[in-house]
Amino acid sequence: MAANPLRTSAPVRMLRSRLRRRDEEHVEAPAASALLAEGDERAEPEPQALPIPRPPQPSLRKRAVTLLFGWCNCEARQFKSRHEVAANTTLQMMVYFNAYLSCVWAIGWLLIFSWKLGVFGAPIYVVLITPVLYFGWLVLEPIRLALGYLGNLHERVSWLGSNRC
């Protein structure tokens, strides 16, 4: 059985009747000034239009940044994703630079430790325990940096536990 295209459903008819009733109830009343006689003392003057407030001026810092960097249209280059990105840029930068700093620290530690052993007389427990701790750090630090780097990029919070201090 084919549906009649001119026939509307019950919810549509109900909505149309509600709209008609609402329009009939809200018929504009004549203005109050038109009801009063022109010479009547009770007539109130027409209200003046309120001035439109000016928006607050941006600070000097914001204007300088806009002047210096406004030409690059940075907003158009922003990455827009369907999903919220939870990766932390500051953490990513810290892990990245920490990798280079760890290499410098490892080489510097070896040089200073060998210099201290040559200049100062160290007890035997310092000579044995300190290199063991150093090599333990040397094995665990790349693992910690890799977990922090990949955990932040892949948004795996459980991998970031190694970067908490």
Side-chain angles (χ1 to χ4, degrees):
M1 181 170 157
N4 186 355
L6 299 177
R7 186 173 177 185
T8 56
S9 64
V12 172
R13 284 190 307 252
M14 192 177 352
L15 182 62
R16 285 181 184 164
S17 66
R18 282 184 188 168
L19 289 174
R20 266 190 236 112
R21 271 186 265 136
R22 188 192 70 184
D23 290 342
E24 291 169 0
E25 291 172 1
H26 297 295
V27 173
E28 290 186 23
S33 61
L35 294 177
L36 296 173
E38 288 184 15
D40 197 355
E41 296 97 30
R42 293 181 296 162
E44 295 179 12
E46 291 288 327
Q48 296 286 333
L50 296 175
I52 299 173
R54 292 176 56 192
Q57 294 293 324
S59 67
L60 182 61
R61 181 181 156 272
K62 285 185 180 180
R63 285 189 288 184
V65 168
T66 304
L67 180 66
L68 293 175
F69 302 108
W71 56 270
C72 71
N73 194 13
C74 298
E75 293 176 3
R77 291 191 213 164
Q78 281 184 342
F79 174 72
K80 301 213 186 310
S81 173
R82 281 186 242 151
H83 309 287
E84 183 180 354
V85 178
N88 189 342
T89 307
T90 308
L91 176 64
Q92 195 67 27
M93 289 172 55
M94 290 174 65
V95 171
Y96 176 80
F97 290 118
N98 193 358
Y100 292 111
L101 185 64
S102 295
C103 294
V104 171
W105 187 85
I107 294 169
W109 187 91
L110 279 176
L111 294 174
I112 290 175
F113 185 71
S114 62
W115 174 77
K116 282 183 179 180
L117 285 180
V119 173
F120 305 111
I124 189 70
Y125 65 87
V126 172
V127 174
L128 293 178
I129 292 176
T130 306
V132 169
L133 292 176
Y134 171 75
F135 287 112
W137 173 84
L138 199 61
V139 169
L140 294 178
E141 184 67 8
I143 297 170
R144 183 184 76 89
L145 290 174
L147 287 176
Y149 188 80
L150 296 174
N152 187 35
L153 283 182
H154 296 295
E155 301 174 0
R156 300 233 165 60
V157 178
S158 60
W159 292 8
L160 295 174
S162 65
N163 286 310
R164 291 193 147 213
C165 296

